[in-house]
Amino acid sequence: MEGSLVDNGGERVGRGNKVGYVKRGIGKKRKQILRRVRRSDMTVSNTLQQLFHSCTEAFKGPDTVPSPQDVQRLRQILDNMKPEDVGLNKDLQFFKPGIAVRENQRVTYTTVYKCYKFSLCIFFIPEGGIIPLHNHPGMTVFSKLLLGLMHIKSYDWVDPEVSNDNLMQQPSQLRMAKLKADKVFTSSCDTSVLYPTTGGNIHEFKAITPCAVLDVIGPPYSKEDGRDCSYYKDHPCTVFPKERIGEEKEEKDKDSYAWLEEIEMPENSEMDGIEYLGPTPF
């Protein structure tokens, strides 16, 4: 997710402009922690360069999705990526449990690279921090957890015909979605990939311990191009469309569906942006 993360050089943008980004000042002590996180003795990372060049080949621009071959290549690169490839390591002060909780619950991000075809961003999520449930319209996103323990919940919209068939039973302003993931991930987990309509396009991150996650997003969010970020609240699905989805489902499978309600940009979705000073991707 780079959601509501279009860097505007530090200008504050209200929640009404959802893709606009808030880049607030950071407390002195917190800033020192983050400076240590983003400083590196390395100037070049071969793995990061390999990722960058593969992205330039894989992402063709808006309204396109990388080929299966490109997806596989990017996943392999990201699966082998280490924190040190972007100037991080587990001994940095930020990643010590408890420190971020005492300092600030806000998520911080840094942009490694960005163009109109794709972006590379790192998100620093403090212990207990949350990136709320949000979508990625028309995007393909690769997420690699570099450090930490994180719970991810994700959804995809149920087929439109199914929702339309159930309009009489569907609560107002809600749309049915199918749960794709609801589990804890570690840095040893494989890279996750979401697509414009599949793979868990709507997701939420909750850091169990301080986390760093690298997102490769193509194309990036752009309100002007119709790729605004929307936020959601999930509600239990008491009406289960088993007869319309195909095969019969057991009662327990009701937990695999939810009603999603679009909401205003949550206050806890605002983040702090910092300059990237790690190894260069080119």
Side-chain angles (χ1 to χ4, degrees):
M1 142 169 191
E2 194 195 27
S4 36
L5 302 183
V6 174
D7 190 354
N8 54 23
E11 177 185 359
R12 178 156 185 178
V13 178
R15 290 192 187 87
N17 300 311
K18 290 184 291 185
V19 170
Y21 190 62
V22 177
K23 188 174 180 181
R24 289 181 175 173
I26 305 173
K28 182 177 179 182
K29 194 171 181 181
R30 171 76 166 165
K31 198 169 184 179
Q32 290 173 346
I33 294 175
L34 293 173
R35 277 178 176 168
R36 292 184 193 127
V37 167
R38 61 192 176 95
R39 290 197 180 279
S40 170
D41 293 331
M42 302 169 59
T43 57
V44 177
S45 165
N46 290 335
T47 304
L48 187 58
Q49 287 185 332
Q50 186 181 8
L51 175 64
F52 171 77
H53 290 299
S54 293
C55 285
T56 62
E57 297 174 355
F59 293 103
K60 311 298 184 185
D63 302 319
T64 64
V65 175
S67 69
Q69 294 79 8
D70 286 331
V71 169
Q72 182 63 23
R73 184 169 70 253
L74 287 172
R75 289 188 72 163
Q76 288 177 345
I77 296 171
L78 287 164
D79 284 344
N80 292 320
M81 203 149 192
K82 307 298 182 187
E84 291 76 13
D85 291 316
V86 288
L88 303 176
N89 69 72
K90 62 181 178 60
D91 296 323
L92 290 167
Q93 188 177 5
F94 177 84
F95 298 106
K96 295 179 180 178
I99 290 180
V101 173
R102 294 194 296 270
E103 292 292 335
N104 192 337
Q105 287 282 25
R106 288 168 67 90
V107 176
T108 302
Y109 89 108
T110 187
T111 300
V112 179
Y113 176 82
K114 181 180 176 182
C115 66
Y116 80 97
K117 290 184 178 180
F118 69 93
S119 64
L120 309 177
C121 293
I122 303 171
F123 296 88
F124 301 102
I125 312 175
E127 182 178 343
I130 298 174
I131 297 180
L133 197 64
H134 63 281
N135 70 344
H136 306 81
M139 305 176 193
T140 302
V141 182
F142 298 76
S143 295
K144 171 58 180 176
L145 183 59
L146 297 171
L147 288 164
L149 197 64
M150 185 166 67
H151 179 268
I152 299 177
K153 178 187 283 190
S154 65
Y155 295 94
D156 282 323
W157 295 121
V158 169
D159 186 80
E161 285 74 20
V162 175
S163 293
N164 291 336
D165 286 344
N166 288 276
L167 282 177
M168 296 301 294
Q169 299 171 317
Q170 178 175 326
S172 176
Q173 306 302 315
L174 302 183
R175 185 176 174 186
M176 185 177 290
K178 181 173 176 58
L179 186 69
K180 302 302 291 186
D182 187 13
K183 61 181 180 179
V184 174
F185 289 78
T186 69
S187 56
S188 62
C189 291
D190 292 340
T191 301
S192 62
V193 186
L194 63 82
Y195 301 91
T197 59
T198 61
N201 184 277
I202 306 162
H203 68 196
E204 173 187 82
F205 291 167
K206 292 183 180 181
I208 299 173
T209 65
C211 293
V213 57
L214 171 64
D215 269 9
V216 178
I217 308 168
Y221 285 98
S222 171
K223 187 172 184 178
E224 293 74 17
D225 296 323
R227 294 189 303 279
D228 199 359
C229 181
S230 298
Y231 296 88
Y232 300 90
K233 179 179 180 181
D234 52 354
H235 301 274
C237 183
T238 56
V239 179
F240 187 58
K242 60 183 180 181
E243 71 279 2
R244 289 179 170 84
I245 289 183
E247 60 185 66
E248 291 290 316
K249 305 290 184 182
E250 297 180 9
E251 186 73 17
K252 63 181 179 63
D253 287 330
K254 289 186 179 182
D255 294 337
S256 297
Y257 293 85
W259 295 117
L260 298 191
E261 174 189 7
E262 185 171 351
I263 60 175
E264 292 297 317
M265 178 179 174
E267 187 171 342
N268 64 345
S269 67
E270 294 181 355
M271 306 180 190
D272 294 312
I274 57 174
E275 181 184 3
Y276 176 73
L277 296 179
T280 61
F282 47 79

